[in-house]
Amino acid sequence: MSLPHAILTALLEKPSSGLELTRRFDKSIGYFWSATHQQIYRELGRLEQAGHIRALPSGQPARGQRKEYEVLPAGRTELASWVAGREDPKPVRDPLLLRMRAAAVVGSPGLGDELRRHLELHRRQLAEYTGIEERDFSDPDLAEQDRMRHLVLRAGIDLETFWTTWLARALSELGEE
């Protein structure tokens, strides 16, 4: 996934300003594809220049007024083409795993504290995801769009479940529980 496709997706769900997109990234898309405020604004400019989005006409012209963007047909076509494409899975690049590999060579003082900290962070994220699932996806008769959104959330739940299980095992095997 790339930032332009994340932005196109968000704008097709709801035309928004850059600030609104940033807030929505923090609350939903950001769980699996993060972007800074500056990255979002830069990409909005590129998408507008490419003819994929446009700023909606404003009622009152004013300097510094926020622009609200919508996706143009070319942007929808680009997103649909990207959805239909192929992409190989990316290898895992996790600094904690690298840190553990290094600790095997140089020793592991303090590693237990870091593993416990990560375990707590993953437990909190898992609790947040399961709360969202209970709140937003408890209806067994979800529309297809909502079933897809739920599957994305389930991926997050399953990943957090993996990390909490793995970190607990690592702490146990290292005698750090």
Side-chain angles (χ1 to χ4, degrees), residues 88-106:
D88 293 337
K90 302 289 183 226
V92 173
R93 290 181 58 175
D94 191 292
L96 180 63
L97 297 177
L98 183 57
R99 185 173 286 125
M100 288 186 71
R101 182 71 184 251
V105 177
V106 298

Side-chain angles (χ1 to χ4, degrees), residues 1 30 58 62 78 88-89 99 115 118 126 129 134 145 169:
M1 178 179 208
S58 173
E78 166 58 28
D88 293 337
R99 185 173 286 125
L115 292 172
H118 276 252
L126 179 58
Y129 287 167
E134 290 168 9
Q145 282 183 321
R169 178 182 303 137

Side-chain angles (χ1 to χ4, degrees), residues 1-159:
M1 178 179 208
S2 66
L3 183 55
H5 298 108
I7 290 172
L8 288 171
T9 299
L11 289 175
L12 280 168
E13 290 174 341
K14 180 183 178 210
S16 304
S17 68
L19 180 58
E20 290 168 333
L21 279 172
T22 299
R23 289 180 181 148
R24 288 173 59 208
F25 264 71
D26 289 343
K27 292 179 185 172
S28 62
I29 291 175
Y31 287 128
F32 56 91
W33 192 265
S34 61
T36 66
H37 187 75
Q38 293 83 7
Q39 290 171 318
I40 290 171
Y41 274 94
R42 257 193 320 268
E43 201 56 52
L44 284 169
R46 289 183 190 126
L47 287 167
E48 192 171 25
Q49 211 169 26
H52 292 164
I53 65 171
R54 73 175 178 124
L56 293 170
S58 173
Q60 303 169 342
R63 185 176 172 190
Q65 183 178 8
R66 73 179 197 175
K67 294 180 184 177
E68 193 168 272
Y69 296 91
E70 70 176 353
V71 177
L72 295 170
R76 181 180 282 277
T77 300
E78 166 58 28
L79 186 59
S81 174
W82 178 78
V83 166
R86 295 173 53 153
E87 191 168 333
D88 293 337
K90 302 289 183 226
V92 173
R93 290 181 58 175
D94 191 292
L96 180 63
L97 297 177
L98 183 57
R99 185 173 286 125
M100 288 186 71
R101 182 71 184 251
V105 177
V106 298
S108 61
L111 186 60
D113 289 340
E114 183 66 353
L115 292 172
R116 279 187 287 283
R117 188 178 77 80
H118 276 252
L119 178 57
E120 181 55 32
L121 292 170
H122 285 288
R123 282 180 175 157
R124 276 193 245 150
Q125 192 65 61
L126 179 58
E128 186 169 345
Y129 287 167
T130 55
I132 292 169
E133 182 178 45
E134 290 168 9
R135 183 188 72 219
D136 296 343
F137 298 103
S138 58
D139 181 359
D141 298 321
L142 294 172
E144 183 178 357
Q145 282 183 321
D146 289 331
R147 284 196 316 269
M148 286 187 190
R149 289 183 184 112
H150 186 217
L151 284 168
V152 172
L153 178 62
R154 280 303 318 174
I157 290 170
D158 292 348
L159 284 169

